[in-house]
Structure formats: C-alpha cells, structure tokens
Amino acid sequence: MRLDKSDLRALGYKGVIAGFVIALILALVYNLLTGFPFIVGFLSLLLAVFGSYLIFMSFEKEVIPPRTDEDESIILESIDQGYVLFPSKRGRLLGRRSHKYMSLYLTNKRIIGKELDVVLDIPLNSVQKVKTESKLFREYLRVNYIENNEEKDVLIVPGDTQLWIQKLRELGVA
C-alpha cells in the first residue's frame, strides 16, 4: 500500500471540486450538530475526504514482486514498510543515500530492496556478516557484503528484524 499523489491528478478537476463540495456539506452538518467552528471542521473534513480517497486508491494497486530466477523463491517480504540506509563510511549510521517505505524481499539467493525499481540487490553468497543493532529506539540489520571486490555495508530495517535474522540463519548466512 503506497500513497501516490498521481491518484489526485487522475481524479481530475471535477473530482476535486466534488471532494470540496462533500467536505463543505459535511462541515456544515458538523457545525450544526456540534457548534464547532466551521473553518476548522471544513479543513479537517477536507483532509479526511481526500485522505480517504488516497488510501482507498492505494488498496487497489497491485504489488508487483521483483523478477526472480526460475530456481529462486521469495521467503520473506516486507511490503512498503522497509527502510534502507547506505552509510557514508563502514560501521557508521548516517549516510547520504536512504530509501523509505520500500518493499524488501528475502529469497533463497539474495536480498532485494524495491521501490519503483530495484535499489538493493545483495546476493547471499557475497554476504560476509549480518548482525542486529539497535539505535534510536529502532532495531535494524547491518549487512556487510562484497561488491566489485570492495567490502560495503548497508543498514536494513525490514519490520520484524528477528524473523529476518532467523531466516537468514536458516539459509546459512547470519
């Protein structure tokens, strides 16, 4: 489920006007029933009408998994809730490149991070070490791997970190 502002563009100007009219009518009823200030009710109901529409439209979107080989199967997936951070130096926490609300997949061959395109693709045979760390009230995985004969690390917040560690151990990685 990913909210997309292009759904509002697809609604068109007639749909946007209809949303404003619906919010206006609901705000009038709300004002008459509660005596709450009209402008506050109108703004909150405007947010509610368009927010509900965006959430409803996001449920209708199909989540397309990444392409996999014939002998590759998806073991775990975190749909639109994963975070990936590429630290600027090994062992650090902060970095310039980060991705939020991405789908993370663990297959029997690799770890895949996908937004619209694949952002993270780590073959399991290149993983050197996986450990669980906890900072800023968040638990994450630090994955050390080799790419182009260079050792790199990435921080992954998959949702259920313990389940991911368990499955990685079952695959002989962690």
Side-chain angles (χ1 to χ4, degrees):
M1 178 177 87
R2 174 169 286 171
L3 298 177
D4 192 2
K5 293 176 188 167
S6 67
D7 290 330
L8 283 179
R9 286 187 212 101
L11 188 60
Y13 69 92
K14 289 181 182 178
V16 171
I17 291 172
F20 272 95
V21 170
I22 291 170
L24 182 69
I25 292 170
L26 290 173
L28 284 172
V29 171
Y30 185 70
N31 183 330
L32 291 174
L33 291 176
T34 64
F36 208 70
F38 172 76
I39 192 71
V40 174
F42 176 68
L43 291 176
S44 62
L45 287 167
L46 196 63
L47 181 67
V49 166
F50 287 106
S52 299
Y53 172 76
L54 286 174
I55 289 173
F56 175 73
M57 292 307 292
S58 72
F59 285 133
E60 290 191 353
K61 292 189 179 179
E62 182 181 358
V63 176
I64 301 169
R67 295 179 192 223
T68 57
D69 298 335
E70 288 181 15
D71 58 341
E72 187 175 19
S73 61
I74 295 176
I75 298 170
L76 288 175
E77 53 187 309
S78 300
I79 304 296
D80 290 342
Q81 66 178 2
Y83 293 86
V84 173
L85 178 70
F86 297 95
S88 55
K89 293 183 181 179
R90 282 195 62 237
R92 300 287 175 123
L93 181 65
L94 299 176
R96 292 185 187 158
R97 289 182 43 213
S98 67
H99 300 276
K100 297 179 182 178
Y101 307 116
M102 63 186 308
S103 300
L104 294 171
Y105 299 89
L106 175 64
T107 70
N108 57 344
K109 290 186 173 184
R110 57 193 170 143
I111 299 172
I112 303 169
K114 181 178 183 257
E115 279 182 318
L116 299 174
D117 296 325
V118 173
V119 174
L120 178 71
D121 190 352
I122 303 173
L124 293 181
N125 57 9
S126 72
V127 174
Q128 300 295 310
K129 182 171 65 169
V130 177
K131 64 180 179 176
T132 306
E133 295 182 7
S134 180
K135 287 187 181 156
L136 302 173
F137 307 109
R138 199 77 196 241
E139 200 171 68
Y140 58 90
L141 300 174
R142 182 177 296 274
V143 179
N144 295 326
Y145 64 100
I146 298 201
E147 182 179 73
N148 298 330
N149 294 326
E150 182 180 338
E151 194 169 337
K152 296 184 177 185
D153 67 341
V154 65
L155 307 176
I156 301 174
V157 182
D160 189 352
T161 309
Q162 295 305 318
L163 179 62
W164 275 69
I165 274 290
Q166 176 188 349
K167 294 298 181 182
L168 284 167
R169 282 188 183 129
E170 289 175 9
L171 292 170
V173 175

